[in-house]
Amino acid sequence: MDSVFEVVQTLIAVLVAITFHEFAHGYVSYKLGDPTPKQTGRLSLNPFRHLDFLGTICLMVVHFGWAKPVQVNPNYYKNPKKGMVLVALGGPVMNFFIALFSVFFMGVILKVTGGQVTVGYMGDIIIFVYGLLQMLAIINLSLGIFNLIPIPPLDGSKILGAILPQDKYFKYMRYERFGYLALLLILSFDVLRTPLNMIMSGMYEGVWFIVSFILGV
């Protein structure tokens, strides 16, 4: 039964993380004057508009993955380079906020229960909710961190593109078609799992430290 709960918690966390990540990209672009996300149906909290099959499976299995990129048109921005950085950062920042709120409510549960979550009708519900919040924190931190890697189609490549001189960026983007292959190789051979897990664990512990200080748990 515990494994069933874990699968359900992971699935919910993945859907929430991906949906709000992509919605944030679209919303930031839309607020910067770009109608493309709205026209393509990406200003939506319907997860099925945002899922990339392979990226979702990777996120479920190894907790690192990606979603279907939101189409944007930087020509609508007053400052295209700055706009692209803000749009690219929108998704990961949203994930980090969700992780923060998830850990905060985990702390609230511990505060209210005195850290003694017991089995029983209400206890089972609290245990499930606590586990779900924990998975939300882990998945959102993982998705946010992973997407900052500068490999297409991840957000980090768009941030890098806005920083690089235009001629160097075009040279870099010649390899865009190999992006998915590079991501699969990274995930398949665990090339970055250890450093990514270290970053994720460090951020998780850092958020817990802040929440513990605020709530006194």
Side-chain angles (χ1 to χ4, degrees):
M1 184 64 70
D2 288 345
S3 60
V4 174
F5 282 162
E6 288 176 9
V7 171
V8 172
Q9 290 164 344
T10 302
L11 179 59
I12 293 173
V14 166
L15 292 178
V16 169
I18 286 176
T19 300
F20 281 88
H21 178 103
E22 296 303 320
F23 173 81
H25 284 317
Y27 183 76
V28 173
S29 189
Y30 180 72
K31 295 301 287 184
L32 290 174
D34 177 20
T36 310
K38 186 174 183 179
Q39 292 171 350
T40 54
R42 300 302 296 275
L43 286 185
S44 171
L45 294 178
N46 178 355
F48 297 103
R49 291 186 178 274
H50 306 295
L51 298 181
D52 177 276
F53 177 76
L54 191 55
T56 302
I57 295 299
C58 290
L59 198 54
M60 285 286 295
V61 176
V62 299
H63 294 173
F64 292 107
W66 60 91
K68 184 167 63 176
V70 174
Q71 290 182 354
V72 299
N73 187 344
N75 292 323
Y76 286 101
Y77 309 153
K78 291 181 180 179
N79 185 328
K81 280 200 168 188
K82 181 180 177 182
M84 281 304 298
V85 171
L86 293 174
V87 171
L89 286 173
V93 169
M94 173 65 80
N95 291 133
F96 296 148
F97 270 120
I98 293 174
L100 175 61
F101 283 118
S102 298
V103 173
F104 178 80
F105 284 110
M106 288 169 67
V108 170
I109 290 175
L110 293 179
K111 183 78 171 179
V112 171
T113 62
Q116 301 296 319
V117 180
T118 58
V119 179
Y121 175 66
M122 286 303 295
D124 288 343
I125 294 175
I126 292 173
I127 289 171
F128 178 83
V129 171
Y130 187 88
L132 174 59
L133 289 170
Q134 185 176 44
M135 190 57 69
L136 276 167
I138 292 171
I139 292 294
N140 275 280
L141 284 175
S142 299
L143 184 64
I145 293 166
F146 187 76
N147 270 271
L148 291 176
I149 297 174
I151 297 176
L154 302 182
D155 302 324
S157 66
K158 298 176 179 64
I159 296 171
L160 180 63
I163 297 173
L164 287 175
Q166 194 169 25
D167 59 331
K168 289 184 172 58
Y169 176 64
F170 284 133
K171 290 179 181 178
Y172 172 73
M173 291 307 290
R174 289 176 188 172
Y175 302 99
E176 182 178 13
R177 62 185 182 277
F178 301 113
Y180 281 107
L181 177 59
L183 291 176
L184 287 176
L185 290 174
I186 287 172
L187 293 174
S188 298
F189 294 100
D190 288 341
V191 176
L192 293 178
R193 180 182 288 197
T194 298
L196 288 175
N197 276 329
M198 289 177 62
I199 295 171
M200 191 273 291
S201 297
M203 291 185 67
Y204 184 76
E205 291 173 5
V207 172
W208 253 121
F209 177 81
I210 296 171
V211 169
S212 299
F213 179 79
I214 294 172
L215 296 176
V217 295

